[in-house]
Amino acid sequence: IICLSVSVIRGYLGARCFQLSKSQNNSMNPMNPSNPNNLFTQSLNYLNKAIVYDPSNAKYHYELGQFYARLFSISWKEGVWKLERGKWIFQFKEKTLDYGLKAFDSYCQAVKLQPTNGWYHLCLGWIIDRLSKLATLQSINSKNLVNSAKALQEFNIAVMLDPTNDYLRNYVKKWTSKLSK
């Protein structure tokens, strides 16, 4: 009875922290005058607590991946091209790669916990594709985690798992047509 009670309480605390994280995310809008960095930090803390309480919940890992993917995208957009020694080099923000790898790890964990969710595979494929592009721009070898073949594999799994989802099919179709150009 005690073990079951602990499990139920941990699940409840995880769900509560997850809801607090979601409410923080919902209050982060451009028209909100409060400090967005503080809200990001609070939301991330709640999300990490939810994972500590209930580490087997794939949705929590997926949302953490979404959180880091947003930071990755924002950081990427703030990067600039610079001419160094006659060669154009993309200078990304300091934590761009770190955010991308954290999103990758979170999506991998979500896929591991719930391998039948097409959205999780789509997001994993997306972050692999983005990290692959970043690695190409910077000549980075990030442990061979990223390449287009792995991204395509994840996209194909996503479509296979959810064949009636037009968004997934169209995204993969657009991505493969860009790849073939």
Side-chain angles (χ1 to χ4, degrees):
I1 292 175
I2 292 173
C3 290
L4 183 59
S5 298
V6 168
S7 178
V8 170
I9 290 170
R10 288 176 62 97
Y12 169 77
L13 290 173
R16 180 72 178 130
C17 288
F18 181 73
Q19 288 304 320
L20 289 170
S21 172
K22 294 296 276 182
S23 68
Q24 290 292 330
N25 277 341
N26 291 340
S27 64
M28 287 186 266
N29 68 47
M31 306 310 281
N32 191 347
S34 64
N35 183 355
N37 289 332
N38 189 25
L39 292 176
F40 267 131
T41 304
Q42 287 176 352
S43 179
L44 181 60
N45 287 340
Y46 284 130
L47 199 47
N48 282 322
K49 283 181 184 178
I51 290 171
V52 167
Y53 288 129
D54 191 0
S56 63
N57 191 320
K59 186 175 182 178
Y60 300 168
H61 292 279
Y62 169 75
E63 287 297 327
L64 185 62
Q66 292 288 83
F67 185 88
Y68 281 120
R70 272 193 305 271
L71 292 176
F72 174 76
S73 294
I74 291 167
S75 185
W76 179 301
K77 289 177 185 175
E78 292 174 352
V80 294
W81 286 93
K82 291 188 178 183
L83 184 62
E84 290 185 10
R85 298 183 195 132
K87 186 176 179 183
W88 285 100
I89 297 175
F90 184 72
Q91 297 283 324
F92 55 88
K93 296 293 249 179
E94 181 180 321
K95 293 193 173 203
T96 304
L97 182 60
D98 186 43
Y99 292 145
L101 291 174
K102 286 181 179 181
F104 174 81
D105 289 340
S106 296
Y107 288 144
C108 283
Q109 189 63 27
V111 165
K112 181 178 162 185
L113 292 169
Q114 191 175 0
T116 58
N117 189 313
W119 284 107
Y120 296 175
H121 285 279
L122 179 73
C123 290
L124 180 57
W126 178 84
I127 199 68
I128 289 171
D129 179 53
R130 299 284 92 199
L131 286 171
S132 176
K133 285 182 177 29
L134 186 65
T136 302
L137 290 173
Q138 288 294 306
S139 301
I140 296 171
N141 181 7
S142 55
K143 304 175 197 170
N144 293 325
L145 294 175
V146 292
N147 65 46
S148 296
K150 287 184 181 180
L152 180 60
Q153 179 183 3
E154 291 299 325
F155 291 148
N156 286 335
I157 292 170
V159 171
M160 181 184 70
L161 290 171
D162 197 355
T164 60
N165 189 321
D166 290 334
Y167 180 83
L168 291 175
R169 284 196 330 251
N170 290 335
Y171 184 87
V172 173
K173 191 182 295 183
K174 285 180 191 177
W175 186 83
T176 53
S177 70
K178 285 181 186 178
L179 192 62
S180 63
K181 290 181 182 180

